[in-house]
Amino acid sequence: MLGLMASPKPYRAPVLADVARAADVSVPTVSRVLNGSKYVAPDLAQRVNEAVQALGYRPNGAARSMRSGRRTLVSVLAGATANYGYARTLQGVETAARRAGMSVSITVVESGEDEHVRAAIDLTLAQPTAGVIVLEFDRAGINAAKALPEGLPVVVAGGGSRRTGQVPAALIDERAAGRQATEYLLHLGHRTVHHIAGPTEGKHSGRTDGWRAALTAAGAPAPQIMRADWDASAGYRWGERIAGMSDVTAVFCANDDIALGLMRALSDRGIDVPRDISVIGFDDQPLVALWRPSLTTVDQDFEDLGARAFGLLSQVIGGEPDAASSVKAPQLVVRESTAPPKG
Amino acid sequence: MLGLMASPKPYRAPVLADVARAADVSVPTVSRVLNGSKYVAPDLAQRVNEAVQALGYRPNGAARSMRSGRRTLVSVLAGATANYGYARTLQGVETAARRAGMSVSITVVESGEDEHVRAAIDLTLAQPTAGVIVLEFDRAGINAAKALPEGLPVVVAGGGSRRTGQVPAALIDERAAGRQATEYLLHLGHRTVHHIAGPTEGKHSGRTDGWRAALTAAGAPAPQIMRADWDASAGYRWGERIAGMSDVTAVFCANDDIALGLMRALSDRGIDVPRDISVIGFDDQPLVALWRPSLTTVDQDFEDLGARAFGLLSQVIGGEPDAASSVKAPQLVVRESTAPPKG
DNA sequence: AGATCGGGGGAAAACGTTATCATCTGAAGT
DNA sequence: ACTTCAGATGATAACGTTTTCCCCCGATCT
């Protein structure tokens, strides 16, 4: 009859009442001990701690957060996770959150379409979240930030040079960086600088703005913007076309992947970087320093961005009235892919 | 006196009772409508839905999960997040979870030290989690998997060729891949294959095992293993030494970063890949195809790994008795960095 | 010695939801 | 016309915790 026996213990996780019984104290006392309240006798506290150990008790997070109203989960909404910038920013958020005793959840917004935005938000808010950090690197993130309900603590992390709307933001000043990169190329003696931009993100991108500003300030002609997706293959395809253009001597790419794809295409066609054409990327992924030629690029401190975003969210959650946006300027890293023009 | 006025509405998120009042129905009825129960009159349902819309009501996840016992959060424990393999696996988990209507939380285990392991587990289990996926790519993950309490749904995702302990696992057969890569080099005519391994992970690594098995099967001599960290600089340092070794004609690297660092070091010393030395990597990061020469490597389907891990966890949570581990073999991708030896 | 005070601890309420149970209605079956 | 039944709804309990309230006690003060 063994096979028909009901399982003897369906294993129920121990709860506060079990601990209280084992320690022969009341339920609130156990709670007090666990939450480090003073006003509890040492011997009782010890009995409780022993019972907790013995039973392997873990507080039920749902019950805890429901009753106390305290939330220990922060949610990240992002258009992607595995791309370098996203992943590093997420890492920065996670590290900061962990040090503060909070957990991080991540939800991907598949696209900027209403449907995807709404689905992601619904999923995120189904958890008892203390607040939301939106990675505003793409349209999905931008739309998600707009669609979040009022009254919920929200901060944005992104590449603008100033705050977007009313939401506090941790920012990287892409505009300044784009300008600096372009100015560097002009300073080397290039007549103008071509630009491969990322997919259009609403009105403008800071990188593109900075590029244009530098050209205007220097009185240099602004060539037509070349649009590309974020990945290397898009850079490669533009490289094929640029190889046939005689007037291009310097290219500022919206990210490292595009730059590497471009360089490979040029290399495949016998065009030398940086002798024939200079190339600058954006992000400073670890591998680009190994490239031949190593890539001149803009170092964005994504981890710091994530940490700042979390800090800001903490302030907002804490109700601090002057939760101020922060902006940090990325840094140009000069390597081998840039040089004065041939002439 | 304006400055001294108490804020008029401290904003309390609407709850079920508010909706019920607005729709003039009972609280349970609202719950029924929201959970799609039948047995509710169409006109009532509509009133409820309108009230939900009007008030912007969102169910309180904590209360919901406490009462129903249903959990909609799965937790990922990992030794890192931003590295390519980790990030892609996490992406796979997130996508699968989102499709299943579940959220994902991520906690980094800083090291294999007891202290860090315990801290990470405590943090994770403070959330009302339905189950845990441990990324067993390093010692931190391995130790975390061991230290998780009994009775909690746990699965492992990693690179073993068979299950570790009693925990169901989604695996990538690194051993088979290591063997295949090594056999390919031998097949090209190399007398033996050198190997740069990752940091020692307990007893062994599947990649290293496969390498050794291939050499043994072919009767080739097994050179001393070269140990390295996972990053490119470690590969570079080995490259500096390998440049001075005359007997090295082929190197199998434990990951792509190491391989790229190695290739750069060799290139810096005028050693041609693949003419003088063949190099194989492991992971197939997107950029390695752009390298010059493009890298022969092993494609690991990390996203699929994450998806399988989530599927497995779902089964475990659902109480399916035969939640079977799955193993998938990665694939060798032949590119330009491998060739027959000179002689 | 009686009033006062504050540490220590238990009883009970409360959080917002879902599950159980009971009740009510109207239609179908005799 | 009287039961029967199923659909529809509300009252109430329950989940596991924290918070509030109150009582007890011994120590200190008049």
Side-chain angles (χ1 to χ4, degrees), chain B:
Chain B
M1 299 295 286
L2 275 163
L4 293 179
M5 281 175 56
S7 59
K9 296 186 214 161
Y11 181 70
R12 200 179 51 87
V15 299
L16 220 46
D18 299 321
V19 177
R21 201 172 311 120
D24 193 30
V25 295
S26 73
V27 168
T29 297
V30 180
S31 175
R32 276 189 279 260
V33 171
L34 264 46
N35 294 304
S37 154
K38 47 201 182 217
Y39 302 151
V40 75
D43 56 326
L44 276 202
Q46 185 177 344
R47 287 220 308 274
V48 168
N49 283 323
E50 283 169 5
V52 166
Q53 281 293 323
L55 296 172
Y57 167 78
R58 301 257 173 192
N60 178 318
R64 181 172 262 189
S65 102
M66 192 188 82
R67 173 62 239 215
S68 71
R70 276 189 288 278
R71 308 254 173 116
T72 58
L73 184 68
V74 302
S75 303
V76 174
L77 277 175
T81 56
N83 298 354
Y84 180 72
Y86 294 90
R88 289 301 291 268
T89 307
L90 179 59
Q91 180 184 358
V93 171
E94 196 279 339
T95 304
R98 183 155 36 83
R99 297 210 199 300
M102 306 195 74
S103 290
V104 176
S105 85
I106 170 78
T107 304
V108 170
V109 187
E110 272 197 31
S111 79
E113 305 289 323
D114 265 15
E115 177 195 5
H116 287 142
V117 168
R118 194 171 11 239
I121 290 178
D122 285 349
L123 192 60
T124 296
L125 296 188
Q127 299 300 325
T129 185
V132 178
I133 296 174
V134 183
L135 265 44
E136 219 177 29
F137 293 151
D138 49 31
R139 178 138 293 281
I142 292 171
N143 289 2
K146 280 186 202 147
L148 281 165
E150 303 280 324
L152 177 76
V154 175
V155 304
V156 150
S161 51
R162 56 166 181 264
R163 63 165 57 200
T164 32
Q166 294 299 358
V167 180
L171 301 172
I172 288 182
D173 193 347
E174 295 185 359
R175 188 174 192 282
R179 176 160 187 161
Q180 192 187 354
T182 307
E183 280 171 348
Y184 174 70
L185 289 169
L186 294 173
H187 167 78
L188 284 177
H190 295 273
R191 300 278 309 276
T192 188
V193 175
H194 284 69
H195 177 44
I196 305 182
T200 169
E201 319 172 334
K203 287 274 197 302
H204 53 237
S205 139
R207 305 165 201 202
T208 300
D209 286 352
W211 164 76
R212 200 191 317 269
L215 292 181
T216 304
Q224 182 75 31
I225 292 178
M226 312 178 197
R227 290 261 166 229
D229 281 337
W230 288 120
D231 55 295
S233 63
Y236 192 93
R237 282 193 296 277
W238 273 111
E240 293 173 322
R241 298 182 53 177
I242 288 174
M245 297 160 65
S246 59
D247 61 327
V248 178
T249 67
V251 183
F252 166 47
C253 301
N255 79 357
D256 285 347
D257 296 75
I258 293 172
L260 262 35
L262 167 64
M263 291 207 299
R264 172 77 196 218
L266 296 179
S267 164
D268 283 350
R269 277 154 193 75
I271 295 174
D272 188 84
V273 173
R275 192 171 47 85
D276 302 324
I277 295 184
S278 287
V279 174
I280 286 189
F282 211 99
D283 278 357
D284 198 23
Q285 294 188 28
L287 292 182
V288 304
L290 293 176
W291 215 262
R292 167 136 283 164
S294 62
L295 183 67
T296 296
T297 187
V298 174
D299 173 29
Q300 304 199 73
D301 195 344
F302 288 112
E303 245 183 289
D304 175 72
L305 177 68
R308 280 188 285 136
F310 177 81
L312 196 55
L313 183 61
S314 299
Q315 291 183 20
V316 174
I317 291 170
E320 292 189 29
D322 55 348
S325 300
S326 73
V327 182
K328 212 157 181 176
Q331 205 171 351
L332 183 67
V333 182
V334 176
R335 298 207 182 91
E336 302 166 354
S337 67
T338 44
K342 268 190 288 195

Side-chain angles (χ1 to χ4, degrees), chain A residues 36-59:
Chain A
S37 154
K38 47 198 180 213
Y39 303 153
V40 71
D43 57 324
L44 277 200
Q46 185 178 345
R47 288 220 307 273
V48 167
N49 283 323
E50 283 169 5
V52 165
Q53 280 295 324
L55 295 172
Y57 168 78
R58 301 255 173 196

